[in-house]
Amino acid sequence: MASDMKGFFRQQKKNKSGGIVKPKSSSKKNSSASDVVQPPALVSHGSFDLQDEYDDKEEVLRQFDVNMAYGPCLGMSRLERWERANAWGLHPPKEVKDLLGAGKVNSECLWGGRV
Amino acid sequence: MAAAPMPMEVDSGNGVLHRKQSIYKSLDESFEIQKEMYRGQQYSQIYFARLHLMRTLLYSLLPTWKPHLPVCTVLGLEEGKECIIVGTIYKHMKLKPSILDEYSKERSASPLVQPHNFINSDDYLVLEDESGRVKLRGTVLLPSVYVTGIVVALQGKETGAGDFMVEDILEAGLPHQTELPLNSGEDKYVVLVSGLSVGSSSANPLHFQLFVDHITGHLGDEKEQGIAAQIVQVIIAGNSVEYPRGLLNGQNLGSKDQSRLSEPIKELDILLTQIASGIPVDIMPGTTDPANFSMPQQPLHRCLFPGSSAYNTFRSCTNPHSFELDNVRFLGTSGQNIDDLAKYSDAKDKLGFLERTLRWRHIAPTAPNTLGCYPFTDRDPFFVEICPHVYFVGNQDKYETSLIKGSDGQLVRLICIPRFAETGTAVVLNLRNLECHTLSFGTQLGL
């Protein structure tokens, strides 16, 4: 039966030279069939461009931003929110305050200026 | 450079009558917004501040209420488990006007905005905290009594449908009050008036002039002047002027119209100067006064009162207004908070709303939901920290008063001040015993 099916539903084209054939271009513009998100040429420093100025210091601060125990993060700078949490006895992590004091980090929350 | 008030000197048989005095202390600092900075924040911060403040308070009351039950967050609710949740109430109201209704393609048969009350039998309550919200069921909480913005503790359990069946409720209750030695000392009176509406066509200027003459001691015989000499403070609770609305239609005003616009406030200043020259007077802004719209309303500017602001007895205050007079603590508003409650909930009378706000420990729970309010980020100034002895609301339909008691022996005099332009009535309170009576002025010209 299987062989009948095989003959019935052709797996391959009968004639390879005839019929409609697309012209093949000699130089491929991109490896569009690949699974990789970005073509190798665009990957910089060995890591993907998905990072976007987002290092682990920012990660810690972002976790502080979305932590609901300290309230909403929009409309206040990160330091102000930390000070408020501290004043209310919520014991916000000291690490966050140190990072904010060190500088070179975003003083606004992750949605700051974008909403 | 401020002129001191002249002692009320009246040439009577017994000599000069002196006005009594009281020690005044303003407590309006928390209602001032000069130090606040607006950074584009929305209202989530004030709700969080309110929830944190009141939840901390309610947690401290739980051990005396139901010590054996666990406390959960809304997300931590388990079906069938008896527990306590604390959060902010949200009331879903079908008839509540929404700006989006203007854009809806389907217009319902009922009009878009009903002026008086938006209560409907389909209203339901939801409790919300940072983790989530849950619909409230059961007969303990009547939706018509509650409004959005109150923070409470509820005892009950989650039902199979995912709602919370309420069995009991804990409100914050009256805060602590400093004890007053009642019935000691002499009689000293505070006069409360509101809704003067100077400049409106319905206000009779003669009534207010009579009022001013009476309290400054220019009316009546020696006995009446003696009574007037015992008035130590006048409080004007909002809506002192009313502008001709027809002028404010967005068009440029000609010079004649411009002078028409400034007439009411000039007239008010003349009358206030007469009062301020003899008695300390506090003036609060209201909805029709030239002040900002959202609560807390900021004091009316001194430049509006060139005559009366020269006196150190003249004080322009915030709305809400809080102060102490001889250690008697006063708290009151020009009416917006209670009027908003009356739109979104039901009570037997306006005093009922007043009492509820004190027992919820928050004088304007509907702010910022339906009552305009400043988006504070780290505090909620409408939270009542210390229980007042006198709690008033201005611009009401009629005079009402009652004395309420708290569970810790607090005693509060509640006063609804009627609109003077309509009723010709002011309220007089005796500081010695917190008793109240009215002072009415009429001019029946023999009809």
Side-chain angles (χ1 to χ4, degrees):
Chain A
M1 277 268 247
S3 50
D4 284 348
M5 295 290 279
K6 256 195 181 166
F8 190 74
F9 291 106
R10 254 175 287 134
Q11 302 285 338
Q12 280 176 335
K13 276 191 182 156
K14 257 189 181 165
N15 55 352
K16 289 183 187 160
S17 52
I20 303 165
V21 173
K22 280 185 187 164
K24 282 183 188 164
S25 56
S26 49
S27 61
K28 289 209 177 128
K29 290 219 169 96
N30 53 1
S31 53
S32 49
S34 77
D35 290 323
V36 175
V37 170
Q38 282 174 317
L42 292 176
V43 172
S44 55
H45 312 296
S47 60
F48 291 114
D49 269 345
L50 300 165
Q51 283 260 310
D52 205 27
E53 284 139 33
Y54 182 134
D55 60 358
D56 28 302
K57 285 194 201 133
E58 179 68 14
E59 173 67 29
V60 170
L61 290 173
R62 284 188 182 190
Q63 286 301 321
F64 172 69
D65 284 342
V66 300
N67 190 340
M68 281 315 288
Y70 311 122
C73 62
L74 262 182
M76 308 175 82
S77 73
R78 280 168 165 165
L79 187 61
E80 275 171 354
R81 186 158 167 266
W82 194 94
E83 298 288 0
R84 180 181 77 174
N86 198 29
W88 287 355
L90 298 171
H91 303 294
K94 191 149 189 323
E95 180 192 16
V96 171
K97 175 139 194 228
D98 295 336
L99 278 174
L100 290 170
K104 285 198 187 163
V105 287
N106 203 350
S107 65
E108 297 300 313
C109 74
L110 74 160
W111 293 300
R114 293 205 230 164
V115 174
Chain B
M1 293 279 243
M6 299 185 296
M8 197 183 74
E9 291 186 2
V10 175
D11 219 345
S12 63
N14 298 337
V16 171
L17 271 175
H18 284 282
R19 185 176 295 282
K20 297 204 179 145
Q21 298 200 321
S22 278
I23 304 167
Y24 178 93
K25 187 169 126 188
S26 168
L27 301 165
D28 279 345
E29 205 181 315
S30 61
F31 299 124
E32 284 164 13
I33 55 178
Q34 278 75 16
K35 296 190 195 76
E36 303 289 329
M37 268 253 288
Y38 180 68
R39 280 194 206 85
Q41 71 268 27
Q42 294 180 10
Y43 293 112
S44 56
Q45 304 287 357
I46 187 177
Y47 273 122
F48 178 67
R50 185 184 303 176
L51 177 62
H52 175 82
L53 195 58
M54 298 206 60
R55 186 165 51 186
T56 314
L57 170 68
L58 286 166
Y59 278 174
S60 70
L61 299 174
L62 289 180
T64 29
W65 185 50
K66 291 189 197 257
H68 306 297
L69 286 175
V71 178
C72 316
T73 57
V74 167
L75 215 53
L77 281 175
E78 286 167 31
E79 192 183 324
K81 179 172 142 197
E82 194 88 22
C83 63
I84 296 177
I85 51 174
V86 180
T88 314
I89 288 196
Y90 173 77
K91 180 153 89 167
H92 183 269
M93 301 177 81
K94 194 162 80 171
L95 297 177
K96 178 175 149 192
S98 159
I99 191 75
L100 299 174
D101 291 341
E102 287 183 35
Y103 295 96
S104 70
K105 293 193 181 113
E106 253 186 67
R107 296 285 179 106
S108 61
S110 60
L112 279 177
V113 178
Q114 285 157 338
H116 298 292
N117 194 287
F118 303 107
I119 290 181
N120 184 268
S121 48
D122 286 341
D123 295 340
Y124 61 86
L125 299 174
V126 170
L127 192 82
E128 184 176 316
D129 68 8
E130 306 101 324
S131 62
R133 13 160 75 190
V134 66
K135 196 162 164 180
L136 302 176
R137 293 266 187 224
T139 49
V140 174
L141 285 189
L142 271 178
S144 60
V145 168
Y146 295 90
V147 286
T148 301
I150 311 165
V151 179
V152 289
L154 298 174
Q155 177 228 331
K157 50 168 115 74
E158 188 184 346
T159 65
D163 301 334
F164 189 80
M165 178 62 77
V166 181
E167 281 153 35
D168 201 359
I169 173 172
L170 174 70
E171 294 168 352
L174 258 49
H176 172 75
Q177 187 187 60
T178 51
E179 226 185 290
L180 255 195
L182 281 187
N183 277 320
S184 72
E186 42 187 5
D187 284 337
K188 284 186 189 176
Y189 294 99
V190 176
V191 173
L192 302 119
V193 70
S194 75
L196 300 170
S197 300
V198 171
S200 94
S201 46
S202 57
N204 187 336
L206 191 54
H207 292 169
F208 191 41
Q209 189 61 61
L210 272 175
F211 167 80
V212 173
D213 288 341
H214 173 85
I215 60 173
T216 50
H218 292 109
L219 261 188
D221 63 358
E222 201 182 294
K223 182 162 160 261
E224 276 201 43
Q225 287 170 333
I227 295 170
Q230 293 174 320
I231 300 174
V232 292
Q233 176 75 50
V234 176
I235 307 289
I236 303 180
N239 292 358
S240 311
V241 287
E242 198 174 289
Y243 287 98
R245 286 285 152 186
L247 286 183
L248 301 172
N249 56 5
Q251 306 228 320
N252 283 335
L253 292 175
S255 59
K256 189 165 149 225
D257 281 345
Q258 275 191 5
S259 45
R260 266 183 70 199
L261 206 56
S262 57
E263 265 160 33
I265 201 84
K266 282 190 192 153
E267 205 183 312
L268 177 67
D269 188 34
I270 292 171
L271 293 160
L272 286 181
T273 311
Q274 293 173 29
I275 303 179
S277 63
I279 322 175
V281 56
D282 282 5
I283 181 162
M284 293 161 60
T287 37
T288 62
D289 293 317
N292 61 308
F293 171 75
S294 49
M295 301 275 274
Q297 280 183 296
Q298 298 305 287
L300 293 163
H301 203 282
R302 294 172 59 87
C303 69
L304 293 167
F305 307 106
S308 27
S309 56
Y311 289 95
N312 67 358
T313 43
F314 174 81
R315 285 181 211 104
S316 182
C317 310
T318 55
N319 170 32
H321 182 32
S322 178
F323 62 97
E324 259 179 29
L325 206 54
D326 281 349
N327 292 322
V328 177
R329 197 179 178 104
F330 286 71
L331 174 64
T333 65
S334 302
Q336 292 100 322
N337 58 333
I338 301 300
D339 291 343
D340 206 52
L341 276 182
K343 280 197 244 172
Y344 296 97
S345 64
D346 211 13
K348 194 179 81 188
D349 51 23
K350 291 295 176 69
L351 289 175
F353 292 124
L354 267 185
E355 185 173 348
R356 280 181 199 164
T357 56
L358 268 189
R359 296 203 189 275
W360 291 331
R361 232 184 266 206
H362 197 279
I363 56 178
T366 53
N369 186 37
T370 45
L371 183 61
C373 156
Y374 183 85
F376 293 98
T377 52
D378 54 1
R379 62 197 179 93
D380 186 345
F382 306 109
F383 173 73
V384 187
E385 302 234 20
I386 303 177
C387 193
H389 299 101
V390 180
Y391 183 35
F392 63 88
V393 62
N395 296 293
Q396 298 306 300
D397 295 329
K398 53 187 170 89
Y399 164 68
E400 286 174 341
T401 185
S402 73
L403 210 50
I404 60 165
K405 292 191 173 62
S407 52
D408 272 338
Q410 301 98 328
L411 206 62
V412 189
R413 164 65 64 189
L414 304 180
I415 308 175
C416 289
I417 312 170
R419 287 184 283 269
F420 191 84
E422 287 165 26
T423 60
T425 305
V427 181
V428 183
L429 169 85
N430 189 342
L431 281 181
R432 181 177 64 89
N433 52 21
L434 296 187
E435 270 173 24
C436 246
H437 62 269
T438 55
L439 198 60
S440 290
F441 299 91
T443 47
Q444 291 298 81
L445 298 174
L447 292 160

